[in-house]
Every structure is written in C-alpha cells, then in structure tokens.
Amino acid sequence: MLPGFKLTLGFTVFYLGLIVLIPLAAVFLKTSSLTWNEFWQTVTMPTAIASYRITFGASLLAALVNAVFGLIVAWVLVRYEFFGKKIVDALVDLPFALPTAVAGITLASLYSSKGWLGQWLEPLGIKVANTQIGIFIALTFIGLPFIVRTVQPILEDLDPELEEAASSLGANRWQVFWRVIFPMLTPALLTGFALAFARALGEYGSVIFIAGGIPMKTQITPVVIMQELDMFEYGKATAIAVVMLVASFVLLLTINVLQWWTNRYNTNNLA
Amino acid sequence: MTPAATTFHLPHPAVRRHTTSEPPWVRRLLIGLALGFISLFLFLPLIFVFTQALAKGIGFYFHTITDPMAWSAIKLTLLAAAISVPLNCVFGVCAAWAIAKFDFPGKNILLTLIDLPFSVSPVIAGMIYVLVFGAQGWMGLWLNADNPSFPWLANWLNEHNFKIIFAVPGIVLATIFVTFPFVARELIPLMQAQGRSEEEAARVLGASGWQTFWRVTVPNIKWGLLYGVILCNARAMGEFGAVSVVSGKIRGETNTLPLHIEALYDEYNYAGAFAVASLLALLALVTLGLKTWIEHKNAALNETEKSA
C-alpha cells in the first residue's frame, strides 16, 4: 500500500474548500439575504434580460461557426500535408495563451472604422465595433481551439479500414464522410461545441473592448454584473451571478455526460 | 445491370486511393478555408499587436515599457504568478496522487469540483472574494463593525493597514482561483494511466514514501507537470476579468499588466497599450513554443516505449 493518502486527500479537500467552495458558497448565501421578490425583480430587469439574450445568442452563434471551421481545421491538420502545417497547428492554441485583454484591444482596433479590417467592412454597411457582431467575433476567437483540440485526436485515431470497407461496398467519398466518419466524430464535436459555448458565456476581457457596453444592445451578462459591483449593489450583482452560475453548472454536467459518451465511443472503436 | 456489378476484380490502386481520399479540388478548397480562417482570426491579430506596438517607433516602445507604472505592473504580475503557480502545483500533485493512486468513494464528484473554476465567469471569480473579504462582506462584518467578533485581530489588521480587496492579496487570491485546475487536470489522467505498480515495486524494494515519490513518480510525470505549469503561468500572468474586480485599479500599486493595458487604452494611448500588450503576446508565443516542444518530446518518448 502506498503512503500519503490522508495527507494528499486532506490537503486537496482543504485547498479546494478554501479557494473554491467556501467563496462560491458566499454567492448563494448573499443571494439568500434577498427576498424572492427582490431576487426575481433583479434577474428579470430589462438590462439583465437583454444581456442574457445577447450573451446566449452570440455564444451560440460563435460556437456554431467554430464547429464548422474547427472541424475543417482539424480535418486539414490530420489528413493533408501543406506548407506551414506545424505553425498552424501550434497557432490554434493562441486564444488559450493570449491574455484576453490583449485579444480584446487587438480585435477592437482591427475592426474599428479606421482599423485594418473595419475600413473595408464599413463601406459595405457592416459595423463591427460597438455592435453585436463585435461580440460574436470576439467569442469566435476565444472558442476556436476547443473544437479543434477535441476533434483532432479522434480523427487521428480513426481506423482507415472502416473507410476502405465503406468505399469497397460502393459508397462514394461524400457518403463515406457523412455516413461513416461524421457519426464517429459527433460526440467529440458536440463536446467541443459545449466547451466553446460554456467558455463564451462567461467571457469578459476579449469582449468588452470591441462591444462598447451599450445597455440593452451590446452589454453581455458579465458586464451587467460588473456594473452592479461598481455601484456597490452586491445583492443585485450576486442575484445575476446566480443565474449565470446555474447555467454554467448545467452546461458542466452536460459536458461531463458528452465526454463520457466520447470516451465510450472511442473504447468501442478500439475493441 | 452495370458491368461493374457483374465482374469482380480489385480496383486499380489509383481508384482505391480516390475512394478513401478527396479529389484535389476539395483538398485545395478545405486547406484554403482552414488557412483563411486561421489567418483572419489568429495570424492577423498577432501581427497587428506587434506592428501597433512599434507604430510610434522603437524609442517610444522602450519608453513605455520602462515607465515606472509599467514596471510596477510587471512586478505585480510576476508576484501574482510566483505565488499562485507553485501553490496550484502542490495542489495538482496532491490531488493527482490521491485520485490516481487510491480508490475512495466520491472520486468523480471531487474531479468535477476541481474543474469547477473553469466554468465560472472571471467576473464572478473576482466577485466571490469581494463577498468574502470586502468591506461589506463576511470578513468586513466580523472585523470592521463597531463591535467586531475578534477585536485583537481587527486591531492588528487596522494597525498594519492590511487589506485583501482592492489590494495585492485579493489579486493573488483571484489569480489562484482562475488557474486552480490547470496542473491537476494535466496530472490526474497522466498518473491514472501510469497506474501504481512502479511505486509499489519501489516500496517493496525498501524505498521510503518520499524516495518513491522523488525517484519514481516525479521522473514519470515531469513533462506533464511542466506542461501544466506553463499553461497555468500563461493564464496567471494574463488574467483580466477576475483581477479587475478585486484590484481597485490603483496605478503603480494594484495594476497588473493586463489592467495597465486597459488603462493606457482607455486614455487613447493606443501605441502605449499595444507596446505593453506586446510583452504579453511574446509570453503567449513562448508558451505556445514550449507547449509544442513538450508535445514533440512526449510523442518521441511514446514511440521509443512502443518500440522497446
């Protein structure tokens, strides 16, 4: 029997409690100091409702776009050879490594009306800075690695014999992809989608610079919480935070189930 | 009936390749789409940071990053990382040891709870410490009220002007929270895959617990540990939302590098903001480089193990 069980588990639980669980419990305790009416009025005030819609919509759209392009990027990285492939592979993780404030001011400047990209989009009638399109672009940037990095390993482990079997039975390339490969990638794709979506819901730094924070129009939920905190309205801030936390926990649960599904699929393939 | 269905023969190799890969125009289209997307969303922003940083010349660049306010931000960022990364490292090793080497009930719940900080918005991560340690929070009620629960502690804290929120300790705490899972989630699957037989063998041969850990476990996990530390450090130095809630943003005192970037940007000093941002972008590039290097190292290691 190996030593150190009590010590390591004890420290793990102690540190987890001290840093994560007790402070998080503070949110729920603080909210319980509000009456149900106060709570309900805060979480359903017009700026909050608008922010849920904006945050949820932009996150969903960004995760969808990432699912499509992330799948293409993963496919190209696994299946094809091309110049600069290793650099592209390393660069995919940039949104993980680049601080959100840097991403935020960079995207805001690139898409401003005088920026490298904004100056071409403005004449076409597309305004990105200080609009919901800006939020969508920032969230797309943030979410890209999640899809690529969950799909890539599954695609690498795919058994080529399955594709050969399908094509020798008369399926054309599109049918092989759609009927054989795609169903095997689905759990990973959904997991990546959920991870990107969850990250986008809580994102703050990369969004605020490009979004501008106009109430009812470009205010994401974390910005509404921040505003209440700045006015020392801690009760209101925690009430909205509770809504966000509950949404995140539901997503976390979904992701766990999806990951279990992905792994099961994987071991089935190996067997 | 078509002739192909009536006569049986192996297809020509060229035909077979055709059926398990895509026609050249599809390949080119997909590579083009992938490269276009990556260039637009990742490559262009990266180039932009460095060109904007040098927009007002190299002199202005060095002036900005050696400014006393910038220096104080650099020092605070390094301090926050220097405290949070080792702490989360010790935690990561402990958690992985307990979870990978032993069986106990509630293991899955523990695993989920360790991942929890990743699904909490940075703004909420900062907020929870304001609720606990802020003037209106629990600690404020216990210590700063007219009738504090612990008078000696309240006096001592007042005498030493010790504050957590809108001060350095709060920044460190928020940084620890957002980087909490990085090392643990890297080490747990790695140590689970390695099992416990090597450590058990060392124990049977008479090694002490610490000897087993340092001579057997550490060499086995060192690359995974380094990988986790690098990611943890990148996030610690770059955290913005959580730190921004607890910092109070006092220039020269409680501004970290990301907060200093925000301050310069809000003053319309764009070249200055990007000059400081370029330091963090360089850190990101170093992080990506090291990450890729470790991945190659690991892949090579796995190859030799397979062939041995």
Side-chain angles (χ1 to χ4, degrees):
Chain A
M1 193 64 183
L2 294 169
F5 175 63
K6 279 183 187 163
L7 177 74
T8 53
L9 185 67
F11 180 72
T12 301
V13 172
F14 166 76
Y15 190 71
L16 180 73
L18 197 70
I19 299 288
V20 180
L21 300 182
I22 294 174
L24 266 181
V27 177
F28 293 94
L29 277 172
K30 181 83 189 172
T31 319
S32 65
S33 71
L34 299 174
T35 65
W36 173 252
N37 251 342
E38 284 171 327
F39 175 80
W40 188 249
Q41 262 171 7
T42 306
V43 300
T44 56
M45 62 185 186
T47 47
I49 296 276
S51 84
Y52 306 145
R53 199 176 294 140
I54 293 160
T55 311
F56 197 84
S59 301
L60 198 66
L61 201 61
L64 276 173
V65 167
N66 271 328
V68 175
F69 282 94
L71 177 61
I72 294 176
V73 171
W75 180 271
V76 162
L77 284 175
V78 173
R79 298 263 165 143
Y80 303 152
E81 292 302 324
F82 55 92
F83 179 73
K85 178 169 151 169
K86 282 192 175 149
I87 295 173
V88 170
D89 198 0
L91 209 62
V92 165
D93 285 320
L94 183 72
F96 284 160
L98 194 71
T100 52
V102 178
I105 63 166
T106 306
L107 294 174
S109 308
L110 266 177
Y111 289 96
S112 77
S113 52
K114 286 180 194 144
W116 287 5
L117 295 170
Q119 60 175 324
W120 303 106
L121 294 171
E122 200 111 315
L124 302 173
I126 305 170
K127 257 186 73 79
V128 176
N130 303 324
T131 68
Q132 291 174 11
I133 304 175
I135 301 175
F136 158 74
I137 285 183
L139 296 180
T140 308
F141 172 84
I142 283 298
L144 176 68
F146 289 99
I147 311 271
V148 179
R149 293 303 185 226
T150 43
V151 172
Q152 207 174 5
I154 307 291
L155 206 48
E156 270 164 4
D157 289 344
L158 226 54
D159 191 350
E161 276 178 20
L162 291 169
E163 288 167 58
E164 279 162 20
S167 74
S168 74
L169 291 171
N172 68 32
R173 192 60 196 149
W174 175 248
Q175 286 170 322
V176 172
F177 175 78
W178 196 237
R179 301 266 180 85
V180 179
I181 302 173
F182 191 75
M184 290 194 282
L185 295 180
T186 308
L189 204 57
L190 280 175
T191 308
F193 175 84
L195 285 170
F197 181 66
R199 172 70 202 267
L201 282 186
E203 182 53 28
Y204 177 73
S206 60
V207 176
I208 53 163
F209 296 98
I210 198 168
I214 309 159
M216 309 293 292
K217 287 214 172 109
T218 65
Q219 253 185 7
I220 51 170
T221 310
V223 170
V224 176
I225 296 176
M226 197 65 144
Q227 223 173 30
E228 297 297 338
L229 285 175
D230 282 343
M231 294 188 290
F232 298 103
E233 293 277 7
Y234 292 149
K236 285 187 177 174
T238 45
I240 299 170
V242 163
V243 174
M244 277 201 81
L245 281 175
V246 169
S248 316
F249 294 162
V250 170
L251 257 174
L252 186 68
L253 211 67
T254 316
I255 291 167
N256 276 349
V257 172
L258 283 171
Q259 258 159 357
W260 169 80
W261 187 27
T262 314
N263 291 338
R264 199 190 57 147
Y265 223 108
N266 235 3
T267 40
N268 277 357
N269 284 344
L270 291 174
Chain B
M1 262 199 180
T2 56
T6 49
T7 52
F8 269 84
H9 58 82
L10 271 175
H12 190 266
V15 178
R16 264 167 67 196
R17 212 176 307 130
H18 176 76
T19 51
T20 51
S21 75
E22 296 71 38
W25 71 268
V26 176
R27 286 165 168 254
R28 266 182 237 126
L29 178 74
L30 290 177
I31 292 176
L33 278 174
L35 288 182
F37 191 74
I38 295 281
S39 307
L40 186 68
F41 273 93
L42 303 181
F43 202 57
L44 193 67
L46 199 56
I47 304 284
F48 188 77
V49 174
F50 293 106
T51 39
Q52 295 304 299
L54 295 168
K56 285 197 180 166
I58 196 97
F60 180 84
Y61 181 81
F62 281 107
H63 176 76
T64 307
I65 60 172
T66 53
D67 172 80
M69 294 301 164
W71 262 115
S72 116
I74 292 172
K75 274 189 278 184
L76 183 55
T77 296
L78 291 175
L79 176 74
I83 297 173
S84 58
V85 174
L87 275 176
N88 285 336
C89 221
V90 172
F91 162 73
V93 172
C94 281
W97 181 269
I99 289 170
K101 307 292 180 195
F102 301 95
D103 293 308
F104 55 91
K107 201 187 257 194
N108 283 329
I109 297 173
L110 186 62
L111 277 169
T112 309
L113 290 177
I114 289 173
D115 267 349
L116 209 55
F118 275 163
S119 53
V120 172
S121 171
V123 172
I124 297 177
M127 191 189 80
I128 59 178
Y129 291 107
V130 175
L131 294 180
V132 175
F133 296 112
Q136 296 182 22
W138 290 348
M139 207 177 92
L141 288 178
W142 289 337
L143 298 177
N144 295 344
D146 297 330
N147 186 17
S149 318
F150 306 97
W152 54 273
L153 189 59
N155 287 339
W156 187 86
L157 292 176
N158 282 338
E159 263 169 39
H160 292 79
N161 197 19
F162 183 82
K163 277 170 55 179
I164 291 181
I165 297 307
F166 305 142
V168 176
I171 294 173
V172 173
L173 276 173
T175 309
I176 293 177
F177 183 93
V178 293
T179 56
F180 186 88
F182 277 101
V183 178
R185 74 159 17 190
E186 214 51 66
L187 287 186
I188 291 168
L190 180 68
M191 281 170 72
Q192 274 179 330
Q194 286 169 349
R196 50 192 101 160
S197 52
E198 288 186 37
E199 278 86 358
E200 277 164 357
R203 290 285 288 166
V204 169
L205 293 172
S208 75
W210 281 111
Q211 281 175 326
T212 308
F213 176 72
W214 285 109
R215 306 248 180 104
V216 178
T217 310
V218 171
N220 274 339
I221 62 168
K222 62 180 181 208
W223 293 112
L225 188 61
L226 186 62
Y227 196 89
V229 165
I230 288 165
L231 297 183
C232 184
N233 179 64
R235 181 71 195 268
M237 291 194 175
E239 178 51 29
F240 176 70
V243 167
S244 136
V245 177
V246 293
S247 127
K249 300 180 185 172
I250 308 160
R251 276 209 175 183
E253 277 182 43
T254 62
N255 258 5
T256 60
L257 272 179
L259 296 177
H260 188 55
I261 294 172
E262 186 197 24
L264 293 172
Y265 188 84
D266 284 346
E267 287 169 356
Y268 304 104
N269 182 357
Y270 295 134
F274 279 103
V276 179
S278 76
L279 296 177
L280 288 175
L282 273 178
L283 171 75
L285 287 181
V286 171
T287 304
L288 290 186
L290 282 172
K291 192 173 167 292
T292 312
W293 178 68
I294 295 173
E295 277 162 6
H296 274 270
K297 198 106 192 160
N298 248 342
L301 223 72
N302 286 342
E303 281 302 304
T304 48
E305 261 172 30
K306 263 182 209 160
S307 59

